[in-house]
Structure formats: structure tokens, C-alpha cells
Amino acid sequence: MFENPPSFPALNADLVEVPTHERLVAREPSPHRPRFLMLYGSLRERSYSRLLTLEAARLLEAMGGEVKVFDPAGLPLPDGAPDIDPKVQELRQLAEWSEGMVWTSPERHGAMTGIMKAQIDWIPLAVGAVRPTQGKTLAVMEVSGGSQSFNAVNQMRVLGRWMRMLTIPNQSSVAKAFLEFDEAGRMKPSAYYDRVVDVMEELFKFTLLTRDAVPYLVDRYSERKESAAELSKRVNQKAL
């Protein structure tokens, strides 16, 4: 069925790298606390996505993480302001600073909210040669006013993949969120709360596992090939 030895006429063998376990293990693990950015998708005074986000932030901090929560109030619509807008710059700087993220949205009309999508849309796929989200870990959660649904988390998973993020397998969907928080805004004991703990534990573990190996994990043959071709082109132009 296959040639022996196999041949690869379409392959540039000089640019192929055989994956090794050794390169996945950091010689000197990062000494700083894992850094997490939290985004939520509602501006209501009693926003359940914000309350759920704060609950998750407390858990990540208790585990030893450094957490920053972005307030979307005042963030302009994508393309509705220049990217030098202070809120846009704040969001982009936090995205670059972070090693993992948590996205939490209400489900509205069977989808994530426009506020949630606007935040993600303001984070560029690339800034010069830097991809602000590539290789960062991501956890997704949602709240809904009715029965449990997964439309918002499913959409955010698609966006996470598009942003080249490592979205963890676990997720949280809190149904009838208005029943799950007390007057002080703290989440009540429940199976929903237990799932939030599970998700934050998993996010923390995946972040510790991958953050020092991100350059190796996201290194691609196709991009090495493109870079080599562009380098050759520049060298040949100088030779002319």
C-alpha cells in the first residue's frame, strides 16, 4: 500500500521537525503566577454573567492565579472607533498579558450577546508578527434565564478555535441563573457551582501544562515554509 521507504514529493524535508517529548518540557518553568483574563457579556446592574465571572475569578485566585476582569462598559462597537480608543487598548493589553482566559456570556436569542462578541472582535488575530491569543488556554461558560442550553458556549468554542486558543474540554452552563445567586451576589451551593470549580481547576492545570511550551506547540510546518521562502526571496533580491 505504501512505498518502502516512503517518499514525500510535496514535502520540504529540511523544514520538517519530528515532535519530541523533550521539547514539551520546560527546562525552567515560569516562576510567576498563571495569568488569567476574564471577559463577561452583560452590562446589567445585576449581571449574572458578571457574578459568575467573579465567582470563577475568586476560585482562580485561591488556586494561586493572577486574575484581571475586564469591564466592557464603554467599549465601542468594533469599527465604531479607532483602535487607539482607551478601552480597546486596555482590552488588547490584557489579552497580550494573559496566559489563559475565561469567556462568560448570557444566552440571548439563542446566542452569545453582542457585548461578548464585540470584546472578542476587538482582539486582533495578529499585531505585526504577534498573535495575541495563539496558544493561550480558554474556558467558556454561559448563563441563561430558562432551561439549560449550550448555544453560547458552543459559539464561543468556535471563536476560541478561530483565535487559535487551546479551549479546554470542560465547560459550564448555568440554567435559571436568577435562582443560583444570593442577595450578596455569591453563587449558592449546587451542582452548577461544583461544575464551575471543575472548569477552573481544569483551566488552571491546562495553563500550567502548556504556557511554557506555547512557542513549540503552535510552531507550524506551513509557517516555517513560508518564512523560509520569504527569507530566500529577500536574500535573492539583495544578490541581484
Side-chain angles (χ1 to χ4, degrees), residues 101-114:
M101 295 190 195
V102 180
W103 297 350
T104 306
S105 178
E107 182 168 319
R108 185 170 297 165
H109 300 316
M112 79 181 80
T113 62

Side-chain angles (χ1 to χ4, degrees), residues 13 15 22 28 46 62 68 78 96 116 120 131 152 163-164 188 217 222 224 229-231:
L15 297 176
E22 288 73 20
E28 296 183 7
R46 186 171 169 83
K68 296 187 179 180
E96 186 175 349
M116 189 75 236
I120 299 167
R131 293 189 175 96
M163 302 296 282
R164 298 186 176 186
K188 301 174 184 177
L217 287 171
S222 61
R224 292 195 300 273
E230 298 215 351
L231 175 61

Side-chain angles (χ1 to χ4, degrees), residues 46 48 51-52 55-56 58-59 172 174-197:
R46 186 171 169 83
Y48 294 109
L51 294 180
L52 183 57
E55 205 67 50
R58 293 184 187 98
L59 289 166
S172 170
V174 179
K176 296 183 179 179
F178 60 92
L179 297 176
E180 298 302 322
F181 294 86
D182 62 23
E183 290 301 315
R186 298 303 305 269
M187 198 169 184
K188 301 174 184 177
S190 69
Y192 290 132
Y193 178 79
D194 294 346
R195 173 59 70 88
V196 175
V197 178

